[in-house]
Amino acid sequence: MAVMSYTGRDILKHVDHTLLKATADWAAIQQLVEEAVEFETASVCIPPSYVKPVYEKYGEEVTICTVIGFPLGYMTTAAKVAETKQAVADGASEIDMVINLGMVKNGHYANVVEEIKAIKAACGKKVLKVIIETCYLTEAEKIALCQAVTDGGADFIKTSTGFGTAGATLDDVLLFKKHIGAGVKIKAAGGIRSIEDMVAYLTAGCDRIGASAAVGLLTNRLDETFKSDTMSEK
């Protein structure tokens, strides 16, 4: 893998600054958004019920990402489509949907593709990321889902919700790189809690990182340079 370097600011431009705890209150959401604006993260990823108030208060100051079918993914496609339409109407620019793992375990990949297509249609030109929850999948299922995400027309494949039994791994990201179609990007999420982790995932080929700790880790290190081989700072 090539040696790459990133400043703290570079890293944050790839971060979806995330708060998805069920108990998150408005004060915590506001703090998250204000950090995202100040440090120019790629987006804020927040619960659907907070999309409208965040958009009303901050408008275009921040890119709003929200989650659909979260965190288990086993609701009907119609319910997910309705959620997506509401989120877009409320001001979301990016949608992170969870696949139906039951479809995968039954081998119904065509149904997975159709669900992704339906949600992408509801998104229109908004960004769609598809969470496949790798911790519950075999390698063969992960490979099949790379094809399903590609065929469904999604913009990203995403590793994890952060609510499963495990989160992102570099092995999964490298597997995705081999099997996703042209134009599909990768988002790693779940368990990414250090600068070293973030640099490793960016170097491996991720375009986005879902993290709650990134701003705190990099607030006072924005202009330092982090190398992927040694993680030395300048």
Side-chain angles (χ1 to χ4, degrees), residues 31-76:
Q31 180 180 340
L32 185 89
V33 175
E34 288 167 8
E35 289 171 348
V37 172
E38 180 180 357
F39 295 104
E40 300 181 339
T41 63
S43 78
V44 287
C45 188
I46 56 177
S49 59
Y50 282 119
V51 170
K52 187 173 183 178
V54 166
Y55 186 77
E56 288 175 343
K57 183 173 177 62
Y58 297 94
E60 304 299 326
E61 287 185 74
V62 66
T63 297
I64 301 172
C65 172
T66 195
V67 289
I68 298 299
F70 195 87
L72 299 175
Y74 55 16
M75 51 289 295
T76 65

Side-chain angles (χ1 to χ4, degrees), residues 11-12 15 17 41 192 195 198 209 211-219:
I11 295 170
L12 289 173
V15 168
H17 194 27
T41 63
I192 301 174
I195 298 172
M198 290 185 280
I209 293 169
S212 56
V215 166
L217 290 168
L218 291 164
T219 295

